[in-house]
């Protein structure tokens, strides 16, 4: 059975792939490498069905305002058998003379991350995509991966409400390696998205120090208390939170060997720097990064740090064991 990659994630992966190349990708390269098509091909889906899926996806993206360009044979432009497809970065950007303040950009990025395809019109979606292109150097593609940047974490709504009302919150938080969650009480000051994951930034009431928490590690319900705090504490909180995450990422990096032309190369390459043995990618959380790297399977190998390599191997072994046990049961 083909892997069930959601259609919206497949479309986002296609946009990323087509923006990551200057010369464009052939239809076969897309079907062989882009997540959402590749899994179905590996599962035995017929090539003509995959090609029809790609044509539908291409038409849908164009309807949404994504400028997909078709490059045919220079000698015979009407011959599309070996056509290449790309999204020109220049046609995706807003005019260069439009400027936003840091605060305005923060609000626009947050809004663009939270809005779903069902809640805004096609014109609004096109505007959000253009806004997201601001501040990206060179041919950097949109790599926010909208399907993953959502308010699906149950903690998001109560935390957002508490921030707006300046209320203290309490929740149980489970860190990797711990057997049981710990109760945390904070003054929530900002919700920030970093590397497609939501964090809440605030002041830990028990120690009176700034703290950052991943929403995905909050266990159970968030309790909003009647205790309030000064709204002035929220001023600049989002910027401080993002700066802190960037400092952590700058202090932690992994040396990776990645197979060229794969999904891993497309996704990791956009936030990597070149290294003699491969690429070097900064990361914030070892456990979360290990989850991502393991999802690429044989497309990526961790050279260092050793702790990250071991974490990825543990995850891959767990997958093998789970499938082995499932096979025995059936």
């Amino acid at each position: 059975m083909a892997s069930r990659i959601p259609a919206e994630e497949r479309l986002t992966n296609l946009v990323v792939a087509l923006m990551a190349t200057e010369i464009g990708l052939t239809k076969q390269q897309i079907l062989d490498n882009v997540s959402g098509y590749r899994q179905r091909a590996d599962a035995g889906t017929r090539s003509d069905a995959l090609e029809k899926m790609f044509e539908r996806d291409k038409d849908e993206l164009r309807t949404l305002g994504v400028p997909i360009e078709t490059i045919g044979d220079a000698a015979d432009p009407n011959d599309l058998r070996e056509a290449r497809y790309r999204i020109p970065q220049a046609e995706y950007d807003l005019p260069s003379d439009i400027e936003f303040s840091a605060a305005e950009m923060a609000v626009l990025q947050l809004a663009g991350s939270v809005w779903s395809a069902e809640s805004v019109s096609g014109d609004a979606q096109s505007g959000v995509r253009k806004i997201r292109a601001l501040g990206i150097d060179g041919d950097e593609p949109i790599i926010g991966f909208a399907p993953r940047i959502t308010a699906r974490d149950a903690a998001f709504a109560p935390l957002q409400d508490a921030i707006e009302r300046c209320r203290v919150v309490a929740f149980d938080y489970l860190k990797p390696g711990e057997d049981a969650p710990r109760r945390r009480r904070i003054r929530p000051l900002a919700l920030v998205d970093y590397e497609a994951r939501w964090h809440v930034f605030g002041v830990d009431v028990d120690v009176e120090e700034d703290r950052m928490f991943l929403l995905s590690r909050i266990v159970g319900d968030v309790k909003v208390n009647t205790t309030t705090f000064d709204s002035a504490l929220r001023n600049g909180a989002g910027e401080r939170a993002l700066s802190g995450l960037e400092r952590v990422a700058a202090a932690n990096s992994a040396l990776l060997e990645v197979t060229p032309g794969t999904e891993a190369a497309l996704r990791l390459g956009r936030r990597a720097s070149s290294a003699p043995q491969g690429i070097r990618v900064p990361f914030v959380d070892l456990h979360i990064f290990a989850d991502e790297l393991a999802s690429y399977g044989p497309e990526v190998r961790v050279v260092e740090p050793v702790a990250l390599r071991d974490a990825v191997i543990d995850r891959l072994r767990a997958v093998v064991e789970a499938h082995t046990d499932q096979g025995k049961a059936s």
Side-chain angles (χ1 to χ4, degrees), residues 2-204:
S3 300
R4 295 298 181 185
I5 302 296
E8 64 271 18
E9 183 172 346
R10 185 180 69 245
L11 289 172
T12 305
N13 293 334
L14 179 58
V15 170
V16 173
L18 296 182
M19 292 190 72
T21 172
E22 288 288 339
I23 64 172
L25 298 172
T26 66
K27 184 184 299 183
Q28 195 58 52
Q29 287 175 323
I30 292 169
L31 300 181
D32 289 343
N33 294 289
V34 176
S35 179
Y37 303 106
R38 190 187 67 235
Q39 287 84 351
R40 288 178 177 270
D42 292 344
T45 301
R46 291 171 47 183
S47 59
D48 59 339
L50 288 173
E51 290 182 6
K52 289 179 180 178
M53 178 186 291
F54 168 68
E55 293 298 331
R56 288 195 302 268
D57 289 347
K58 181 158 56 71
D59 291 341
E60 182 172 351
L61 288 175
R62 282 172 171 162
T63 300
L64 292 173
V66 178
I68 297 178
E69 182 179 75
T70 302
I71 306 172
D73 188 337
D76 184 4
N78 294 320
D79 183 1
L80 300 181
R81 287 174 297 179
E82 295 299 323
R84 309 181 77 87
Y85 303 90
R86 69 174 182 176
I87 298 175
Q89 180 71 33
E91 295 184 22
Y92 218 68
D93 291 342
L94 285 174
S96 59
D97 58 349
I98 293 181
E99 297 182 358
F100 294 102
S101 67
E104 289 170 333
M105 282 298 298
V107 171
L108 290 170
Q109 289 171 353
L110 179 62
S113 297
V114 175
W115 287 352
S116 67
E118 293 78 18
S119 63
V120 291
S121 68
D123 289 341
Q125 291 177 53
S126 179
V128 170
R129 285 191 295 274
K130 291 177 182 295
I131 287 169
R132 284 179 178 172
L134 284 176
I136 300 176
D137 296 330
D139 65 342
E140 184 76 9
I142 296 175
I143 54 174
F145 302 116
R148 298 184 184 180
I149 308 180
T150 68
R152 291 175 185 167
D153 290 296
F156 187 95
L159 286 170
Q160 184 181 44
D161 179 65
I163 292 171
E164 293 174 354
R165 297 164 58 196
C166 299
R167 297 288 185 90
V168 172
V169 299
F171 51 79
D172 292 331
Y173 193 74
L174 183 62
K175 296 175 66 175
E178 295 185 350
D179 296 327
R182 292 175 53 198
R183 193 68 169 174
R184 312 304 292 262
R185 294 190 305 140
I186 68 168
R187 302 182 189 98
L189 305 180
L191 283 164
V192 294
D193 160 57
Y194 192 80
E195 293 184 350
R197 293 173 179 85
W198 284 107
H199 305 69
V200 61
F201 173 74
V203 179
D204 190 312

